[in-house]
Amino acid sequence: NKKITIAIDGFSSTGKSTIAKQLAKELGYIYVDTGAMYRAVTLYVMRHLFVTETNFDEEAILRHLPFINLRFVFDEKLGYGEIYLNKENVEKEIRLMEVSNNVSKVATVSKVREMLVQQQQEMGKDKGVVMDGRDIGTVVFPDADLKLFMTASTQTRAERRYKELCERGENVAYEDVLKNVKERDYMDSTREDSPLIMAKDAIEIDNSDLTLEEQSQKIMELAKEAI
Ligand code: C5P
């Protein structure tokens, strides 16, 4: 069986990672959550480089980039890697609302993108990879064998994210989650460097009205056709 590269892009909270993890597991591929990488850099910036609560010094980020080390450590039980920021497991902390509120801004910095894209290309160089994010099919792997673009209504996505956060015990208001989803959509699709757009050869999957099972089935079929 030949190994392929699968790129999954889309707006926030469209269920990309759920489907990507599942796909990677079934195919025996590695899964790379590129959003986690942008989130981990953001966490670093929040801890060390914020000038005010929401403002950072771009020059300072550039100086610190060589000291930001990211690694995914594979967890047998989970079936995928958890992200480490300079040897610390930050998988939980990067999902906090505060990080979500700042990540899209940090993701506009070209040098940050350059560094992360290079690491992503390295992780996927032997194929057999499912990678999700915003620019995988357009920038990271423009030659990916299968490109999916996930969409769902803003309402559906905010509701899902809200439920997820509540289940994790975070004390958030639905209105704030909705606002964050909208803001990230806007910033991610209007930024100058690598904006979120659907690659010409991507297959769009609107999952507003699909059950997880229907969606998995459809995507598994597409993957099998591509292999
Ligand atoms: O996928 P997730 O929602 O965790 O991504 C968090 C943020 O990281 C996105 O809203 C976007 O600003 C940024 N990101 C990006 N490019 C990627 C993945 C994520 O700019 N490939």
Side-chain angles (χ1 to χ4, degrees):
N1 250 0
K2 89 172 200 279
K3 283 191 164 182
I4 65 167
T5 302
I6 302 176
I8 305 183
D9 289 303
F11 292 103
S12 33
S13 310
T14 40
K16 299 185 295 294
S17 71
T18 307
I19 209 70
K21 279 178 197 157
Q22 214 174 55
L23 205 51
K25 197 170 173 192
E26 285 194 42
L27 298 170
Y29 283 12
I30 56 170
Y31 163 59
V32 180
D33 174 358
T34 66
M37 299 171 77
Y38 287 92
R39 286 171 179 275
V41 171
T42 304
L43 183 63
Y44 182 98
V45 171
M46 288 169 67
R47 284 176 178 175
H48 305 284
L49 304 172
F50 266 139
V51 180
T52 64
E53 218 171 293
T54 51
N55 251 312
F56 55 80
D57 170 4
E58 196 169 321
E59 286 297 308
I61 296 191
L62 304 192
R63 282 198 305 278
H64 278 257
L65 276 187
F67 308 107
I68 303 179
N69 185 273
L70 303 180
R71 221 155 40 95
F72 285 99
V73 177
F74 186 79
D75 183 304
E76 197 82 45
K77 250 201 331 248
L78 293 171
Y80 56 86
E82 290 199 311
I83 195 158
Y84 282 68
L85 164 65
N86 296 342
K87 300 198 174 144
E88 174 192 357
N89 184 332
V90 291
E91 189 65 39
K92 285 214 175 71
E93 201 167 347
I94 59 166
R95 313 284 165 196
L96 294 174
M97 265 301 269
E98 289 157 84
V99 178
S100 299
N101 285 336
N102 290 306
V103 62
S104 290
K105 194 164 166 217
V106 174
T108 61
V109 181
S110 286
K111 289 284 177 202
V112 169
R113 306 203 66 83
E114 216 174 86
M115 176 175 99
L116 298 188
V117 167
Q118 202 182 0
Q119 293 174 6
Q120 290 152 11
Q121 287 170 338
E122 178 64 28
M123 286 188 268
K125 70 178 190 320
D126 297 326
K127 299 206 163 192
V129 64
V130 184
M131 200 173 284
D132 74 7
R134 302 291 186 289
D135 59 345
I136 312 306
T138 50
V139 176
V140 183
F141 292 117
D143 296 327
D145 306 274
L146 176 64
K147 298 181 187 178
L148 302 175
F149 193 85
M150 316 272 291
T151 58
S153 72
T154 315
Q155 219 71 17
T156 307
R157 293 187 285 123
E159 276 162 25
R160 277 191 207 143
R161 175 54 60 107
Y162 176 68
K163 230 180 110 207
E164 240 176 63
L165 290 169
C166 289
E167 275 163 14
R168 260 190 252 138
E170 247 202 273
N171 186 14
V172 288
Y174 172 75
E175 287 312 312
D176 292 337
V177 176
L178 179 66
K179 187 165 161 260
N180 175 255
V181 164
K182 284 183 181 164
E183 273 172 7
R184 279 202 287 146
D185 285 356
Y186 179 75
M187 284 188 85
D188 292 344
S189 41
T190 55
R191 71 176 169 229
E192 215 162 296
D193 190 349
S194 322
L196 168 64
I197 41 163
M198 183 165 115
K200 281 199 194 74
D201 50 349
I203 299 165
E204 184 173 349
I205 295 181
D206 184 328
N207 63 24
S208 307
D209 301 313
L210 291 181
T211 64
L212 195 56
E213 218 159 292
E214 290 169 329
Q215 178 181 239
S216 304
Q217 210 170 11
K218 188 168 168 176
I219 291 173
M220 205 52 212
E221 270 165 35
L222 290 171
K224 283 188 179 138
E225 273 168 35
I227 291 172

PDB file of all heavy atoms in Angstrom, residues 15-45:
ATOM      1  N   GLY A  15     -14.300  20.481  13.707  1.00  0.00           N
ATOM      2  CA  GLY A  15     -14.114  19.056  13.967  1.00  0.00           C
ATOM      3  C   GLY A  15     -12.975  18.452  13.165  1.00  0.00           C
ATOM      4  O   GLY A  15     -12.926  17.237  12.960  1.00  0.00           O
ATOM      5  N   LYS A  16     -12.051  19.291  12.727  1.00  0.00           N
ATOM      6  CA  LYS A  16     -10.916  18.795  11.941  1.00  0.00           C
ATOM      7  C   LYS A  16     -10.096  17.769  12.716  1.00  0.00           C
ATOM      8  O   LYS A  16      -9.729  16.739  12.173  1.00  0.00           O
ATOM      9  CB  LYS A  16      -9.964  19.949  11.565  1.00  0.00           C
ATOM     10  CG  LYS A  16     -10.576  21.025  10.719  1.00  0.00           C
ATOM     11  CD  LYS A  16      -9.517  22.042  10.299  1.00  0.00           C
ATOM     12  CE  LYS A  16      -8.921  22.830  11.454  1.00  0.00           C
ATOM     13  NZ  LYS A  16      -9.874  23.722  12.142  1.00  0.00           N
ATOM     14  N   SER A  17      -9.789  18.098  13.967  1.00  0.00           N
ATOM     15  CA  SER A  17      -8.866  17.223  14.693  1.00  0.00           C
ATOM     16  C   SER A  17      -9.512  15.878  15.026  1.00  0.00           C
ATOM     17  O   SER A  17      -8.854  14.848  14.987  1.00  0.00           O
ATOM     18  CB  SER A  17      -8.339  17.913  15.947  1.00  0.00           C
ATOM     19  OG  SER A  17      -9.350  18.027  16.900  1.00  0.00           O
ATOM     20  N   THR A  18     -10.798  15.882  15.325  1.00  0.00           N
ATOM     21  CA  THR A  18     -11.482  14.620  15.611  1.00  0.00           C
ATOM     22  C   THR A  18     -11.368  13.684  14.419  1.00  0.00           C
ATOM     23  O   THR A  18     -10.998  12.515  14.557  1.00  0.00           O
ATOM     24  CB  THR A  18     -12.979  14.878  15.916  1.00  0.00           C
ATOM     25  OG1 THR A  18     -13.051  15.868  16.934  1.00  0.00           O
ATOM     26  CG2 THR A  18     -13.681  13.619  16.367  1.00  0.00           C
ATOM     27  N   ILE A  19     -11.664  14.220  13.253  1.00  0.00           N
ATOM     28  CA  ILE A  19     -11.655  13.389  12.051  1.00  0.00           C
ATOM     29  C   ILE A  19     -10.220  13.023  11.661  1.00  0.00           C
ATOM     30  O   ILE A  19      -9.938  11.907  11.230  1.00  0.00           O
ATOM     31  CB  ILE A  19     -12.431  14.089  10.895  1.00  0.00           C
ATOM     32  CG1 ILE A  19     -13.037  13.056   9.968  1.00  0.00           C
ATOM     33  CG2 ILE A  19     -11.589  15.056  10.115  1.00  0.00           C
ATOM     34  CD1 ILE A  19     -14.164  12.291  10.568  1.00  0.00           C
ATOM     35  N   ALA A  20      -9.296  13.947  11.856  1.00  0.00           N
ATOM     36  CA  ALA A  20      -7.898  13.690  11.496  1.00  0.00           C
ATOM     37  C   ALA A  20      -7.301  12.581  12.366  1.00  0.00           C
ATOM     38  O   ALA A  20      -6.610  11.695  11.875  1.00  0.00           O
ATOM     39  CB  ALA A  20      -7.074  14.967  11.630  1.00  0.00           C
ATOM     40  N   LYS A  21      -7.621  12.625  13.664  1.00  0.00           N
ATOM     41  CA  LYS A  21      -7.108  11.598  14.578  1.00  0.00           C
ATOM     42  C   LYS A  21      -7.637  10.225  14.202  1.00  0.00           C
ATOM     43  O   LYS A  21      -6.927   9.235  14.176  1.00  0.00           O
ATOM     44  CB  LYS A  21      -7.551  11.901  16.009  1.00  0.00           C
ATOM     45  CG  LYS A  21      -6.711  12.925  16.721  1.00  0.00           C
ATOM     46  CD  LYS A  21      -7.285  13.177  18.100  1.00  0.00           C
ATOM     47  CE  LYS A  21      -6.763  14.454  18.700  1.00  0.00           C
ATOM     48  NZ  LYS A  21      -7.648  14.996  19.733  1.00  0.00           N
ATOM     49  N   GLN A  22      -8.939  10.204  13.895  1.00  0.00           N
ATOM     50  CA  GLN A  22      -9.587   8.954  13.558  1.00  0.00           C
ATOM     51  C   GLN A  22      -8.975   8.354  12.288  1.00  0.00           C
ATOM     52  O   GLN A  22      -8.660   7.169  12.223  1.00  0.00           O
ATOM     53  CB  GLN A  22     -11.055   9.257  13.316  1.00  0.00           C
ATOM     54  CG  GLN A  22     -11.987   8.154  13.732  1.00  0.00           C
ATOM     55  CD  GLN A  22     -13.413   8.631  13.570  1.00  0.00           C
ATOM     56  OE1 GLN A  22     -13.803   9.055  12.481  1.00  0.00           O
ATOM     57  NE2 GLN A  22     -14.180   8.577  14.631  1.00  0.00           N
ATOM     58  N   LEU A  23      -8.815   9.219  11.306  1.00  0.00           N
ATOM     59  CA  LEU A  23      -8.260   8.812  10.020  1.00  0.00           C
ATOM     60  C   LEU A  23      -6.839   8.278  10.204  1.00  0.00           C
ATOM     61  O   LEU A  23      -6.478   7.225   9.663  1.00  0.00           O
ATOM     62  CB  LEU A  23      -8.244  10.050   9.114  1.00  0.00           C
ATOM     63  CG  LEU A  23      -8.276   9.889   7.611  1.00  0.00           C
ATOM     64  CD1 LEU A  23      -9.405   8.974   7.188  1.00  0.00           C
ATOM     65  CD2 LEU A  23      -8.463  11.264   6.955  1.00  0.00           C
ATOM     66  N   ALA A  24      -6.039   8.982  10.978  1.00  0.00           N
ATOM     67  CA  ALA A  24      -4.649   8.571  11.206  1.00  0.00           C
ATOM     68  C   ALA A  24      -4.608   7.205  11.894  1.00  0.00           C
ATOM     69  O   ALA A  24      -3.806   6.345  11.548  1.00  0.00           O
ATOM     70  CB  ALA A  24      -3.927   9.613  12.054  1.00  0.00           C
ATOM     71  N   LYS A  25      -5.507   7.008  12.831  1.00  0.00           N
ATOM     72  CA  LYS A  25      -5.545   5.756  13.572  1.00  0.00           C
ATOM     73  C   LYS A  25      -5.890   4.595  12.636  1.00  0.00           C
ATOM     74  O   LYS A  25      -5.218   3.574  12.614  1.00  0.00           O
ATOM     75  CB  LYS A  25      -6.584   5.871  14.687  1.00  0.00           C
ATOM     76  CG  LYS A  25      -6.435   4.835  15.760  1.00  0.00           C
ATOM     77  CD  LYS A  25      -7.325   5.168  16.934  1.00  0.00           C
ATOM     78  CE  LYS A  25      -7.304   4.040  17.950  1.00  0.00           C
ATOM     79  NZ  LYS A  25      -8.362   4.215  18.947  1.00  0.00           N
ATOM     80  N   GLU A  26      -6.935   4.800  11.836  1.00  0.00           N
ATOM     81  CA  GLU A  26      -7.372   3.728  10.950  1.00  0.00           C
ATOM     82  C   GLU A  26      -6.344   3.392   9.883  1.00  0.00           C
ATOM     83  O   GLU A  26      -6.219   2.249   9.467  1.00  0.00           O
ATOM     84  CB  GLU A  26      -8.705   4.098  10.290  1.00  0.00           C
ATOM     85  CG  GLU A  26      -9.845   3.966  11.272  1.00  0.00           C
ATOM     86  CD  GLU A  26     -11.199   3.993  10.600  1.00  0.00           C
ATOM     87  OE1 GLU A  26     -11.349   3.348   9.540  1.00  0.00           O
ATOM     88  OE2 GLU A  26     -12.092   4.672  11.126  1.00  0.00           O
ATOM     89  N   LEU A  27      -5.612   4.398   9.434  1.00  0.00           N
ATOM     90  CA  LEU A  27      -4.636   4.164   8.371  1.00  0.00           C
ATOM     91  C   LEU A  27      -3.246   3.828   8.911  1.00  0.00           C
ATOM     92  O   LEU A  27      -2.353   3.462   8.166  1.00  0.00           O
ATOM     93  CB  LEU A  27      -4.536   5.407   7.467  1.00  0.00           C
ATOM     94  CG  LEU A  27      -5.801   5.824   6.709  1.00  0.00           C
ATOM     95  CD1 LEU A  27      -5.601   7.188   6.059  1.00  0.00           C
ATOM     96  CD2 LEU A  27      -6.152   4.779   5.654  1.00  0.00           C
ATOM     97  N   GLY A  28      -3.070   3.974  10.215  1.00  0.00           N
ATOM     98  CA  GLY A  28      -1.745   3.762  10.807  1.00  0.00           C
ATOM     99  C   GLY A  28      -0.781   4.885  10.440  1.00  0.00           C
ATOM    100  O   GLY A  28       0.421   4.673  10.319  1.00  0.00           O
ATOM    101  N   TYR A  29      -1.312   6.073  10.258  1.00  0.00           N
ATOM    102  CA  TYR A  29      -0.505   7.242   9.897  1.00  0.00           C
ATOM    103  C   TYR A  29      -0.212   8.076  11.138  1.00  0.00           C
ATOM    104  O   TYR A  29      -0.859   7.921  12.168  1.00  0.00           O
ATOM    105  CB  TYR A  29      -1.277   8.135   8.911  1.00  0.00           C
ATOM    106  CG  TYR A  29      -1.322   7.638   7.486  1.00  0.00           C
ATOM    107  CD1 TYR A  29      -0.917   6.338   7.163  1.00  0.00           C
ATOM    108  CD2 TYR A  29      -1.782   8.461   6.469  1.00  0.00           C
ATOM    109  CE1 TYR A  29      -0.985   5.905   5.840  1.00  0.00           C
ATOM    110  CE2 TYR A  29      -1.848   8.033   5.153  1.00  0.00           C
ATOM    111  CZ  TYR A  29      -1.449   6.743   4.839  1.00  0.00           C
ATOM    112  OH  TYR A  29      -1.508   6.320   3.552  1.00  0.00           O
ATOM    113  N   ILE A  30       0.724   9.029  11.005  1.00  0.00           N
ATOM    114  CA  ILE A  30       0.919   9.956  12.109  1.00  0.00           C
ATOM    115  C   ILE A  30      -0.037  11.142  11.942  1.00  0.00           C
ATOM    116  O   ILE A  30      -0.414  11.505  10.834  1.00  0.00           O
ATOM    117  CB  ILE A  30       2.379  10.456  12.267  1.00  0.00           C
ATOM    118  CG1 ILE A  30       2.897  11.098  10.977  1.00  0.00           C
ATOM    119  CG2 ILE A  30       3.301   9.354  12.728  1.00  0.00           C
ATOM    120  CD1 ILE A  30       4.225  11.809  11.168  1.00  0.00           C
ATOM    121  N   TYR A  31      -0.427  11.699  13.068  1.00  0.00           N
ATOM    122  CA  TYR A  31      -1.322  12.845  13.072  1.00  0.00           C
ATOM    123  C   TYR A  31      -0.559  14.066  13.588  1.00  0.00           C
ATOM    124  O   TYR A  31       0.089  13.990  14.621  1.00  0.00           O
ATOM    125  CB  TYR A  31      -2.542  12.572  13.963  1.00  0.00           C
ATOM    126  CG  TYR A  31      -3.284  13.820  14.347  1.00  0.00           C
ATOM    127  CD1 TYR A  31      -3.828  14.651  13.372  1.00  0.00           C
ATOM    128  CD2 TYR A  31      -3.427  14.187  15.689  1.00  0.00           C
ATOM    129  CE1 TYR A  31      -4.495  15.822  13.725  1.00  0.00           C
ATOM    130  CE2 TYR A  31      -4.094  15.346  16.043  1.00  0.00           C
ATOM    131  CZ  TYR A  31      -4.619  16.152  15.049  1.00  0.00           C
ATOM    132  OH  TYR A  31      -5.268  17.310  15.401  1.00  0.00           O
ATOM    133  N   VAL A  32      -0.635  15.153  12.861  1.00  0.00           N
ATOM    134  CA  VAL A  32       0.004  16.385  13.326  1.00  0.00           C
ATOM    135  C   VAL A  32      -1.025  17.505  13.437  1.00  0.00           C
ATOM    136  O   VAL A  32      -1.667  17.884  12.454  1.00  0.00           O
ATOM    137  CB  VAL A  32       1.162  16.830  12.385  1.00  0.00           C
ATOM    138  CG1 VAL A  32       1.799  18.114  12.911  1.00  0.00           C
ATOM    139  CG2 VAL A  32       2.206  15.731  12.240  1.00  0.00           C
ATOM    140  N   ASP A  33      -1.174  18.002  14.667  1.00  0.00           N
ATOM    141  CA  ASP A  33      -2.114  19.079  14.977  1.00  0.00           C
ATOM    142  C   ASP A  33      -1.326  20.391  14.891  1.00  0.00           C
ATOM    143  O   ASP A  33      -0.664  20.788  15.847  1.00  0.00           O
ATOM    144  CB  ASP A  33      -2.630  18.826  16.399  1.00  0.00           C
ATOM    145  CG  ASP A  33      -3.514  19.946  16.915  1.00  0.00           C
ATOM    146  OD1 ASP A  33      -3.716  20.951  16.200  1.00  0.00           O
ATOM    147  OD2 ASP A  33      -3.997  19.800  18.052  1.00  0.00           O
ATOM    148  N   THR A  34      -1.386  21.065  13.737  1.00  0.00           N
ATOM    149  CA  THR A  34      -0.559  22.269  13.575  1.00  0.00           C
ATOM    150  C   THR A  34      -1.096  23.428  14.404  1.00  0.00           C
ATOM    151  O   THR A  34      -0.344  24.312  14.800  1.00  0.00           O
ATOM    152  CB  THR A  34      -0.440  22.709  12.102  1.00  0.00           C
ATOM    153  OG1 THR A  34      -1.715  23.133  11.618  1.00  0.00           O
ATOM    154  CG2 THR A  34       0.114  21.586  11.240  1.00  0.00           C
ATOM    155  N   GLY A  35      -2.393  23.415  14.707  1.00  0.00           N
ATOM    156  CA  GLY A  35      -2.975  24.451  15.569  1.00  0.00           C
ATOM    157  C   GLY A  35      -2.305  24.424  16.939  1.00  0.00           C
ATOM    158  O   GLY A  35      -2.062  25.466  17.554  1.00  0.00           O
ATOM    159  N   ALA A  36      -1.967  23.207  17.405  1.00  0.00           N
ATOM    160  CA  ALA A  36      -1.310  23.064  18.708  1.00  0.00           C
ATOM    161  C   ALA A  36       0.044  23.760  18.688  1.00  0.00           C
ATOM    162  O   ALA A  36       0.482  24.313  19.700  1.00  0.00           O
ATOM    163  CB  ALA A  36      -1.138  21.586  19.056  1.00  0.00           C
ATOM    164  N   MET A  37       0.697  23.761  17.537  1.00  0.00           N
ATOM    165  CA  MET A  37       2.015  24.400  17.435  1.00  0.00           C
ATOM    166  C   MET A  37       1.875  25.920  17.551  1.00  0.00           C
ATOM    167  O   MET A  37       2.622  26.577  18.270  1.00  0.00           O
ATOM    168  CB  MET A  37       2.681  24.007  16.119  1.00  0.00           C
ATOM    169  CG  MET A  37       2.905  22.500  16.003  1.00  0.00           C
ATOM    170  SD  MET A  37       3.461  21.960  14.360  1.00  0.00           S
ATOM    171  CE  MET A  37       5.185  22.431  14.395  1.00  0.00           C
ATOM    172  N   TYR A  38       0.879  26.481  16.849  1.00  0.00           N
ATOM    173  CA  TYR A  38       0.646  27.935  16.949  1.00  0.00           C
ATOM    174  C   TYR A  38       0.205  28.299  18.367  1.00  0.00           C
ATOM    175  O   TYR A  38       0.572  29.338  18.903  1.00  0.00           O
ATOM    176  CB  TYR A  38      -0.382  28.394  15.907  1.00  0.00           C
ATOM    177  CG  TYR A  38       0.200  28.391  14.514  1.00  0.00           C
ATOM    178  CD1 TYR A  38       0.092  27.272  13.693  1.00  0.00           C
ATOM    179  CD2 TYR A  38       0.920  29.488  14.034  1.00  0.00           C
ATOM    180  CE1 TYR A  38       0.671  27.238  12.426  1.00  0.00           C
ATOM    181  CE2 TYR A  38       1.503  29.466  12.775  1.00  0.00           C
ATOM    182  CZ  TYR A  38       1.371  28.340  11.978  1.00  0.00           C
ATOM    183  OH  TYR A  38       1.961  28.314  10.743  1.00  0.00           O
ATOM    184  N   ARG A  39      -0.584  27.417  18.968  1.00  0.00           N
ATOM    185  CA  ARG A  39      -1.040  27.668  20.333  1.00  0.00           C
ATOM    186  C   ARG A  39       0.122  27.632  21.326  1.00  0.00           C
ATOM    187  O   ARG A  39       0.192  28.436  22.261  1.00  0.00           O
ATOM    188  CB  ARG A  39      -2.094  26.628  20.738  1.00  0.00           C
ATOM    189  CG  ARG A  39      -3.443  26.855  20.084  1.00  0.00           C
ATOM    190  CD  ARG A  39      -4.393  25.686  20.346  1.00  0.00           C
ATOM    191  NE  ARG A  39      -5.692  25.917  19.733  1.00  0.00           N
ATOM    192  CZ  ARG A  39      -6.672  26.602  20.311  1.00  0.00           C
ATOM    193  NH1 ARG A  39      -6.520  27.068  21.538  1.00  0.00           N
ATOM    194  NH2 ARG A  39      -7.803  26.788  19.681  1.00  0.00           N
ATOM    195  N   ALA A  40       1.054  26.691  21.145  1.00  0.00           N
ATOM    196  CA  ALA A  40       2.191  26.575  22.066  1.00  0.00           C
ATOM    197  C   ALA A  40       3.103  27.797  21.951  1.00  0.00           C
ATOM    198  O   ALA A  40       3.579  28.326  22.953  1.00  0.00           O
ATOM    199  CB  ALA A  40       2.968  25.290  21.783  1.00  0.00           C
ATOM    200  N   VAL A  41       3.319  28.280  20.727  1.00  0.00           N
ATOM    201  CA  VAL A  41       4.126  29.493  20.557  1.00  0.00           C
ATOM    202  C   VAL A  41       3.407  30.655  21.251  1.00  0.00           C
ATOM    203  O   VAL A  41       4.023  31.484  21.921  1.00  0.00           O
ATOM    204  CB  VAL A  41       4.371  29.800  19.060  1.00  0.00           C
ATOM    205  CG1 VAL A  41       5.020  31.168  18.888  1.00  0.00           C
ATOM    206  CG2 VAL A  41       5.237  28.719  18.421  1.00  0.00           C
ATOM    207  N   THR A  42       2.093  30.698  21.107  1.00  0.00           N
ATOM    208  CA  THR A  42       1.297  31.759  21.738  1.00  0.00           C
ATOM    209  C   THR A  42       1.426  31.718  23.253  1.00  0.00           C
ATOM    210  O   THR A  42       1.580  32.755  23.905  1.00  0.00           O
ATOM    211  CB  THR A  42      -0.179  31.630  21.326  1.00  0.00           C
ATOM    212  OG1 THR A  42      -0.243  31.659  19.903  1.00  0.00           O
ATOM    213  CG2 THR A  42      -1.034  32.731  21.918  1.00  0.00           C
ATOM    214  N   LEU A  43       1.391  30.503  23.797  1.00  0.00           N
ATOM    215  CA  LEU A  43       1.535  30.354  25.245  1.00  0.00           C
ATOM    216  C   LEU A  43       2.887  30.912  25.697  1.00  0.00           C
ATOM    217  O   LEU A  43       2.980  31.637  26.690  1.00  0.00           O
ATOM    218  CB  LEU A  43       1.402  28.872  25.620  1.00  0.00           C
ATOM    219  CG  LEU A  43       1.462  28.542  27.107  1.00  0.00           C
ATOM    220  CD1 LEU A  43       0.310  29.180  27.856  1.00  0.00           C
ATOM    221  CD2 LEU A  43       1.448  27.022  27.313  1.00  0.00           C
ATOM    222  N   TYR A  44       3.923  30.588  24.935  1.00  0.00           N
ATOM    223  CA  TYR A  44       5.256  31.110  25.248  1.00  0.00           C
ATOM    224  C   TYR A  44       5.238  32.640  25.238  1.00  0.00           C
ATOM    225  O   TYR A  44       5.717  33.287  26.163  1.00  0.00           O
ATOM    226  CB  TYR A  44       6.267  30.571  24.225  1.00  0.00           C
ATOM    227  CG  TYR A  44       7.686  31.020  24.486  1.00  0.00           C
ATOM    228  CD1 TYR A  44       8.588  30.193  25.149  1.00  0.00           C
ATOM    229  CD2 TYR A  44       8.126  32.275  24.079  1.00  0.00           C
ATOM    230  CE1 TYR A  44       9.885  30.610  25.406  1.00  0.00           C
ATOM    231  CE2 TYR A  44       9.419  32.710  24.330  1.00  0.00           C
ATOM    232  CZ  TYR A  44      10.297  31.874  25.000  1.00  0.00           C
ATOM    233  OH  TYR A  44      11.571  32.299  25.250  1.00  0.00           O
ATOM    234  N   VAL A  45       4.651  33.189  24.192  1.00  0.00           N
ATOM    235  CA  VAL A  45       4.582  34.650  24.060  1.00  0.00           C
ATOM    236  C   VAL A  45       3.801  35.253  25.229  1.00  0.00           C
ATOM    237  O   VAL A  45       4.196  36.263  25.808  1.00  0.00           O
ATOM    238  CB  VAL A  45       3.937  35.036  22.705  1.00  0.00           C
ATOM    239  CG1 VAL A  45       3.645  36.526  22.635  1.00  0.00           C
ATOM    240  CG2 VAL A  45       4.837  34.618  21.552  1.00  0.00           C
TER     241      VAL A  45
END
